[in-house]
Amino acid sequence: MLELVRNIKSVFKIHRIYIDNTVFRLHYLFTVFILLAFCIIVTTRQYVGEPITCIQSDEISDTMMNTYCWIHTTHSIPRAFYKEVGKDVPYPGVDSVQDEKEFRYHKYYQWVCFVLFLQAALFYMPRWAWKVMENGKMESISKHLDFVICANENEILKKKKLLIDYIVNNAHQHQHDWYAYKYFSCELAAFINVIGQMFLMDRFFDGEFLNYGLEVLQFAELDQKDRTDPMIRIFPRMTKCRFHKYGHSGNVELHDALCILPLNIINEKIYIFLWFWFIILAVLTGFVLLFRIALIVCPFLRIYMFNAKYRILRIQHVHTIVRHGSIGDWFLIYLLGQNIDILLFREIVADLATNIVTEPKEITVNA
């Protein structure tokens, strides 16, 4: 387990070069981390012990019954969740009903760890796509410019000139727009992913996930005598299992077993957390996308963003860059400010404001 954690740790290494925003990082860092952590928890016996334990007659060994019921699923009776425990039923969802049409089978618990891992991979996909499309561009143009106090002055001046020539020439050709729109498309993919995963979970739990969090909140407000815990209904801790075998006379015998699912104590906590987290993440990402649209159609908002993030810049230079540049130019320069020395960034912005209004020069560097 420790070796697995070490391998996962490399995925969440904080990179020195910033090529995205905080909300985007919540998708591929925090969300992927918690999904992989949950995946490890549900597969580690030290937290829940055996995933299933069944009580049955002495004719069948405990190991055989536990293995059979884990593989072939267990079932509960939906209407038994609303009966009085200790009087009508021994436990919510457990009843003596023999009609299989009333059975609700539970087979998701076999797949929880695999689905959590798949979800983690899907949350990382937009980040992977952006890294492929970005292709190290920001790292290339900002290399050795993040800490310039002890650097050679002539070398810094040379790198600064190359950087300004690159930005200005590509700005005139509108090549930075593709850079920005590729990133915006990855943010859109992250938003579609989190919404799609909520519907995926709803399908995985037979239509129970989308309302799960709301039902838990409503449950807390109801009178204790009249409420049915939705976490027990969706993630029952005790179910039944049927096992058929030949008896001594050659007839088929039916054996009913009561099965305890301690793993569901963990599952119910995992999925109530994921329900609320997916909602929060979807709302945050949705706001980011709306803000991106506003940035595209409203140049004044780009000026405000520059001024709010980099107060050291002169507002006249910011106005010039935004007025004569496109959304791609703004996005590239905005990211650049997060990756280089702030004083050097102020000088670069001042030079860009002078050069971006002139005719393009010969391109002297590629990134």
Side-chain angles (χ1 to χ4, degrees):
M1 177 177 172
L2 291 176
E3 185 62 30
L4 180 60
V5 172
R6 292 191 191 99
N7 293 334
I8 293 174
K9 184 180 178 180
S10 63
V11 177
F12 308 104
K13 181 174 61 176
I14 302 300
H15 298 277
R16 185 177 58 87
I17 302 299
Y18 295 98
I19 57 173
D20 45 41
N21 66 8
T22 302
V23 174
F24 194 66
R25 286 193 286 272
L26 287 176
H27 285 263
Y28 71 83
L29 283 179
F30 181 73
T31 306
V32 171
F33 176 80
I34 61 173
L35 288 171
L36 292 179
F38 290 155
C39 181
I40 293 173
I41 289 173
V42 298
T43 55
T44 305
R45 291 187 177 184
Q46 68 185 42
Y47 297 106
V48 295
E50 294 293 335
I52 188 170
T53 303
C54 297
I55 308 170
Q56 74 289 324
S57 64
D58 296 334
E59 298 181 26
I60 308 171
S61 68
D62 293 342
T63 302
M64 177 179 290
M65 181 59 76
N66 292 343
T67 304
Y68 175 85
C69 293
W70 177 261
I71 295 174
H72 291 273
T73 75
T74 60
H75 66 269
S76 58
I77 310 299
R79 59 186 176 91
F81 285 105
Y82 304 95
K83 294 185 177 181
E84 185 177 350
V85 176
K87 181 179 179 180
D88 301 320
V89 293
Y91 192 82
V94 177
D95 205 346
S96 58
V97 175
Q98 300 299 318
D99 187 1
E100 294 189 7
K101 294 181 180 179
E102 295 195 42
F103 291 179
R104 179 184 177 185
Y105 291 96
H106 307 284
K107 54 186 177 181
Y108 59 83
Y109 49 75
Q110 305 169 3
W111 300 97
V112 166
C113 64
F114 301 105
V115 172
L116 287 171
F117 185 82
L118 173 64
Q119 288 182 273
L122 291 175
F123 267 102
Y124 194 77
M125 286 300 292
R127 160 67 173 181
W128 175 82
W130 171 231
K131 285 185 67 177
V132 171
M133 290 187 288
E134 205 270 344
N135 197 27
K137 181 175 184 175
M138 184 55 59
E139 183 176 8
S140 176
I141 66 176
S142 63
K143 193 172 183 180
H144 304 308
L145 296 176
D146 55 338
F147 190 73
V148 299
I149 295 178
C150 301
N152 182 278
E153 184 177 354
N154 292 330
E155 187 69 21
I156 293 301
L157 290 174
K158 181 180 178 181
K159 290 181 181 295
K160 185 175 74 170
K161 184 180 184 304
L162 290 173
L163 175 59
I164 292 172
D165 287 346
Y166 168 76
I167 294 176
V168 170
N169 281 280
N170 282 276
H172 283 289
Q173 299 175 26
H174 301 287
Q175 292 188 12
H176 298 150
D177 290 353
W178 279 110
Y179 185 76
Y181 288 129
K182 286 175 183 178
Y183 174 67
F184 297 161
S185 67
C186 290
E187 286 187 323
L188 177 61
F191 177 72
I192 294 173
N193 173 68
V194 68
I195 296 297
Q197 291 219 25
M198 294 186 68
F199 285 96
L200 172 66
M201 290 295 93
D202 192 60
R203 181 68 179 271
F204 185 54
F205 292 113
D206 296 325
E208 296 279 5
F209 183 75
L210 288 181
N211 296 322
Y212 182 42
L214 295 176
E215 291 181 3
V216 172
L217 293 176
Q218 293 172 357
F219 166 76
E221 298 176 355
L222 295 175
D223 186 85
Q224 189 171 0
K225 296 181 180 180
D226 302 325
R227 60 186 186 178
T228 300
D229 192 345
M231 291 194 289
I232 294 180
R233 192 186 76 247
I234 301 172
F235 302 100
R237 300 163 191 173
M238 182 174 288
T239 55
K240 293 187 70 176
C241 176
R242 283 185 163 188
F243 182 81
H244 294 86
K245 79 177 192 68
Y246 284 108
H248 298 294
S249 63
N251 295 326
V252 176
E253 295 180 350
L254 172 64
H255 294 266
D256 261 351
L258 283 176
C259 296
I260 301 174
L261 298 171
L263 189 61
N264 273 350
I265 298 176
I266 302 296
N267 287 335
E268 66 182 21
K269 309 306 190 293
I270 286 175
Y271 284 101
I272 190 61
F273 174 84
L274 291 180
W275 190 90
F276 283 105
W277 176 242
F278 283 4
I279 292 291
I280 293 171
L281 194 58
V283 171
L284 289 176
T285 311
F287 276 126
V288 169
L289 291 175
L290 292 176
F291 190 67
R292 295 299 184 202
I293 296 173
L295 284 172
I296 293 173
V297 301
C298 182
F300 175 77
L301 193 56
R302 299 176 215 164
I303 297 174
Y304 173 79
M305 282 289 293
F306 250 131
N307 190 45
K309 180 70 174 179
Y310 309 108
R311 294 188 177 276
I312 196 174
L313 303 180
R314 293 187 62 182
I315 192 65
Q316 296 90 337
H317 296 156
V318 175
H319 271 276
T320 301
I321 290 175
V322 172
R323 185 170 64 252
H324 292 277
S326 63
I327 181 65
D329 304 325
W330 172 87
F331 180 71
L332 182 74
I333 299 170
Y334 186 84
L335 282 183
L336 184 65
Q338 302 181 55
N339 293 288
I340 66 175
D341 181 83
I342 188 63
L343 295 177
L344 179 62
F345 180 61
R346 182 176 62 179
E347 296 176 10
I348 290 174
V349 169
D351 289 341
L352 283 173
T354 303
N355 288 276
I356 202 168
V357 297
T358 62
E359 291 298 319
K361 306 174 184 178
E362 182 183 353
I363 299 176
T364 56
V365 67
N366 292 315

